[in-house]
Amino acid sequence: MNKRVLVKFSGEALAGEEGYGIDTQILDYIAEEIKSLVDNGIEVGIVIGGGNIIRGVTAAADGVIKRTSADYMGMLATVINGVAMQEALEYKGLNARLQTAIKMEQIAEPFIVRKAIRHFEKNRVVIFSAGTGNPYFTTDTAATLRATEINASMLIKATKVDGVYNKDPMKYDDAVKLDTISYDKALEDHIKVMDDTAIALAKDNKLPIVVANMNEKGNLLKIINGDCSKCSIVK
Ligand code: UDP
């Protein structure tokens, strides 16, 4: 298995208690987790959402702002998070490069897959921001797309939960975590942790999606080393 992975964090994950904005202590925690991967010879790509700042659907809800514009606002939010993440990684002594799907070259380099791969070869973490660059998509789909483009061995979706359950663990005490789940079953059940477009794209490209608990320290490294006690694999 190649040693390249893509990790997707939601924007909300950066917000902490507030539910909004960026908590630098959380950024620092994430950077430490990423560092442990890099220190173990793993090449890491990151996609971050923007939900801690703006979500297109919500911003366009009352019709004052058009959906397409709201989505561009959402994509810009992911760039804000990306700049912050780049800083946090550098603060830990890692080399990081932010790329954007929409050109804004004073802030970051544009997304160029060959350049990203060159960065990986030089042990740099690459953060892919601005989603896919298109409205009506999510950063989950962007993460699946980028993971496929960089030929990652897996897409790790970092969440607050241990994985995918057979029923809602918040509602049912006897809910059981599934170790693996097929793409078709994930699509049929419309699993909450990943949207259908992203799952369908992963299925087409045989990209395993690992739903993982990011709050469990060391979990990302464990998963890459084959311990999935705090994860579920959609494959
Ligand atoms: N977005 C978009 N195209 C993309 C990715 C994201 O238009 O390819 C916009 C969309 O409005 C979305 C927002 O950016 O609501 C933030 O991304 P997302 O909701 O996926 O962030 P997360 O829920 O992971 O924090």
Side-chain angles (χ1 to χ4, degrees):
M1 189 171 77
N2 83 46
K3 286 273 186 184
R4 186 176 298 155
V5 300
L6 192 132
V7 189
K8 156 80 205 295
F9 295 94
S10 71
E12 253 171 35
L14 307 187
E17 303 282 288
E18 301 286 309
Y20 181 85
I22 299 171
D23 180 329
T24 49
Q25 288 310 302
I26 293 181
L27 270 186
D28 194 59
Y29 168 81
I30 292 174
E32 188 65 39
E33 291 294 280
I34 299 297
K35 183 173 187 303
S36 77
L37 303 186
V38 175
D39 287 348
N40 280 276
I42 294 151
E43 297 175 353
V44 188
I46 297 178
V47 167
I48 317 181
N52 55 323
I53 300 171
I54 207 156
R55 274 209 180 86
V57 175
T58 316
D62 67 4
V64 174
I65 300 173
K66 279 195 289 298
R67 172 69 191 271
T68 44
S69 298
D71 278 342
Y72 281 114
M73 292 161 70
M75 287 184 258
L76 288 171
T78 73
V79 180
I80 294 176
N81 287 335
V83 171
M85 180 58 70
Q86 180 173 243
E87 288 295 319
L89 294 169
E90 287 180 348
Y91 182 72
K92 286 272 172 253
L94 295 169
N95 292 312
R97 290 289 187 276
L98 177 65
Q99 295 198 340
T100 55
I102 296 168
K103 272 194 195 173
M104 44 186 103
E105 284 167 273
Q106 280 79 2
I107 297 176
E109 53 184 56
F111 168 66
I112 297 171
V113 70
R114 284 170 196 278
K115 209 161 179 180
I117 286 164
R118 194 78 193 109
H119 290 320
F120 292 135
E121 287 166 359
K122 291 183 175 170
N123 278 327
R124 294 175 183 147
V125 177
V126 185
I127 306 159
F128 302 104
S129 67
T132 62
N134 298 291
Y136 298 102
F137 287 95
T138 63
T139 49
D140 278 358
T141 303
T144 310
L145 178 64
R146 294 295 180 247
T148 306
E149 286 176 286
I150 62 169
N151 195 27
S153 58
M154 65 177 85
L155 160 60
I156 303 178
K157 164 101 193 227
T159 69
K160 293 181 206 156
V161 293
D162 287 348
V164 182
Y165 287 77
N166 64 341
K167 47 188 163 178
D168 189 346
M170 299 296 180
K171 285 192 201 147
Y172 302 96
D173 285 344
D174 60 343
V176 181
K177 180 179 81 71
L178 307 167
D179 290 336
T180 60
I181 171 167
S182 70
Y183 296 117
D184 289 336
K185 179 79 177 141
L187 286 168
E188 196 183 303
D189 291 357
H190 300 294
I191 57 167
K192 271 195 205 144
V193 284
M194 199 82 185
D195 67 69
D196 289 353
T197 312
I199 297 169
L201 184 62
K203 180 187 175 199
D204 282 351
N205 295 293
K206 299 187 178 60
L207 171 74
I209 302 169
V210 181
V211 178
N213 189 337
M214 62 168 267
N215 296 322
E216 190 79 18
K217 201 164 173 48
N219 198 28
L220 299 182
L221 184 59
K222 268 194 200 163
I223 287 167
I224 293 165
N225 288 330
D227 174 352
C228 203
S229 48
K230 301 272 187 223
C231 87
S232 295
I233 307 178
V234 182
K235 63 178 182 183

